[in-house]
Amino acid sequence: MKLVHVAVATVLVGASLGAAAGDFVELNKSFPLRLSASNNQLTDIYYLETNITMMTITESFQDVRNRNIPLIASSITYNARSTDTLAVTGSGTLSLLEYRLNEDVQLAGQAIGDIYDFVYRDSRDNKLVFGTRVLLGLPGQQQNAELNNVFRYGFEEDGTTFDAAAAWLFLSNFDLRLYSAARSDQGLKQMDVFDPDAVSFQSDINLSEGNPYSGLYLIKTNATYYTYADNAIGYFQAGEESQPVVKAFTGGFIPTNTAPIPEPSTYAMLLAGLGMIGVIARRRMRA
């Protein structure tokens, strides 16, 4: 992958990312679990309007077709609209707190793609937003993989079930939309069953069909903090084109209400600072 690092680049989203309706949608805990999106952005309940907003892109790459594909946005401003009237119902800015890259994730023992994992803070309500972006079939990776579902886990902790509201947006004109979302651990062609710990995004990310890049799939939650966990992200291939039916996992961020424990180096800096304050105070007393 040929990376292009941009120190501070403000990018106006292209005209093809037109005015649209949608917002974060709270996912149901009972029937119907799976709520479908629409291929018409004017009626897509999940789509966040980004055509007239600004994104700060900090990293991108040139794909094999010499297209510039944004990878990381440190801030994204969006409009939410009513699907009935198209009136703006709210606006916010997603500010990046942390991200990680899972390179060469595997299915059936073969590297198929990269998965980017993001944590944002939404200025609209100060809530945490977890983002997932998938890129399949990069150079050196298997070229015929297809991901029908991407999962996020960690929405249940010690008997507490966190809220989960889904949305999505484009980072480039070449991204694939979200098809549906559910609080479920089941993939395409499987029966959805409510799972308080899981969120299932359905799409059809596939290099052979010309859709190797997902949009930025988002989940907003009412958890106070976040932490890292193994198997926080899952991905599923349903075998629609004679590939093996297989599911795999990778590490990522999950919500939590447990405050993070400072690193030992943080304690050392704190103690050093307190010691310096003590020295200054003693010198002043002697003076």
Side-chain angles (χ1 to χ4, degrees):
M1 181 190 300
K2 181 181 179 182
L3 293 178
V4 179
H5 295 276
V6 185
V8 180
T10 305
V11 178
L12 182 63
V13 179
S16 64
L17 311 185
D23 200 349
F24 284 94
V25 177
E26 190 69 32
L27 298 178
N28 294 335
K29 298 178 182 179
S30 59
F31 182 83
L33 287 175
R34 187 165 296 277
L35 303 178
S36 295
S38 169
N39 60 6
N40 181 351
Q41 293 171 15
L42 292 175
T43 57
D44 188 345
I45 58 175
Y46 295 111
Y47 181 69
L48 299 180
E49 180 187 63
T50 56
N51 69 312
I52 58 172
T53 64
M54 305 297 283
M55 295 184 184
T56 302
I57 303 298
T58 56
E59 190 171 294
S60 61
F61 84 103
Q62 297 287 332
D63 70 4
V64 294
R65 298 183 182 180
N66 291 319
R67 301 177 300 189
N68 188 59
I69 307 298
L71 295 173
I72 301 169
S74 62
S75 68
I76 304 169
T77 301
Y78 69 89
N79 288 329
R81 289 182 178 269
S82 164
T83 53
D84 295 324
T85 66
L86 298 186
V88 174
T89 56
S91 298
T93 297
L94 303 178
S95 297
L96 184 63
L97 302 179
E98 193 169 352
Y99 81 92
R100 60 176 285 117
L101 167 60
N102 294 298
E103 291 187 282
D104 294 330
V105 297
Q106 299 203 353
L107 276 180
Q110 292 186 304
I112 63 163
D114 292 354
I115 295 180
Y116 282 80
D117 183 23
F118 303 93
V119 185
Y120 289 94
R121 179 79 68 182
D122 192 345
S123 66
R124 188 174 166 198
D125 51 19
N126 205 39
K127 289 186 177 181
L128 291 176
V129 178
F130 295 86
T132 312
R133 179 158 163 78
V134 178
L135 296 89
L136 289 187
L138 299 173
Q141 298 173 347
Q142 182 185 358
Q143 301 295 295
N144 68 338
E146 177 180 24
L147 292 188
N148 303 100
N149 294 84
V150 177
F151 303 90
R152 293 207 70 114
Y153 297 94
F155 292 90
E156 184 179 44
E157 180 183 57
D158 299 329
T160 297
T161 299
F162 297 123
D163 294 342
W168 77 281
L169 53 82
F170 288 110
L171 283 185
S172 83
N173 289 326
F174 312 105
D175 293 352
L176 182 62
R177 69 182 181 89
L178 177 66
Y179 288 9
S180 67
R183 297 203 69 156
S184 171
D185 185 39
Q186 302 302 301
L188 183 67
K189 300 182 181 180
Q190 298 176 334
M191 180 68 69
D192 282 317
V193 177
F194 174 66
D195 187 330
D197 192 58
V199 171
S200 167
F201 293 115
Q202 185 175 314
S203 192
D204 190 14
I205 311 162
N206 189 325
L207 176 62
S208 65
E209 295 177 2
N211 302 311
Y213 314 134
S214 77
L216 183 59
Y217 301 158
L218 302 168
I219 287 291
K220 180 181 288 189
T221 182
N222 60 337
T224 307
Y225 307 105
Y226 67 93
T227 188
Y228 174 83
D230 295 330
N231 300 334
I233 299 172
Y235 45 101
F236 175 70
Q237 178 174 265
E240 289 189 298
E241 299 180 13
S242 301
Q243 310 105 321
V245 178
V246 61
K247 184 177 182 179
F249 301 87
T250 190
F253 301 115
I254 62 170
T256 181
N257 278 339
T258 302
I261 299 174
E263 296 290 335
S265 59
T266 303
Y267 282 120
M269 291 177 63
L270 177 61
L271 292 174
L274 291 174
M276 183 61 68
I277 291 172
V279 170
I280 294 172
R282 286 194 296 272
R283 287 179 178 175
R284 287 180 176 175
M285 290 176 64
R286 291 172 183 171

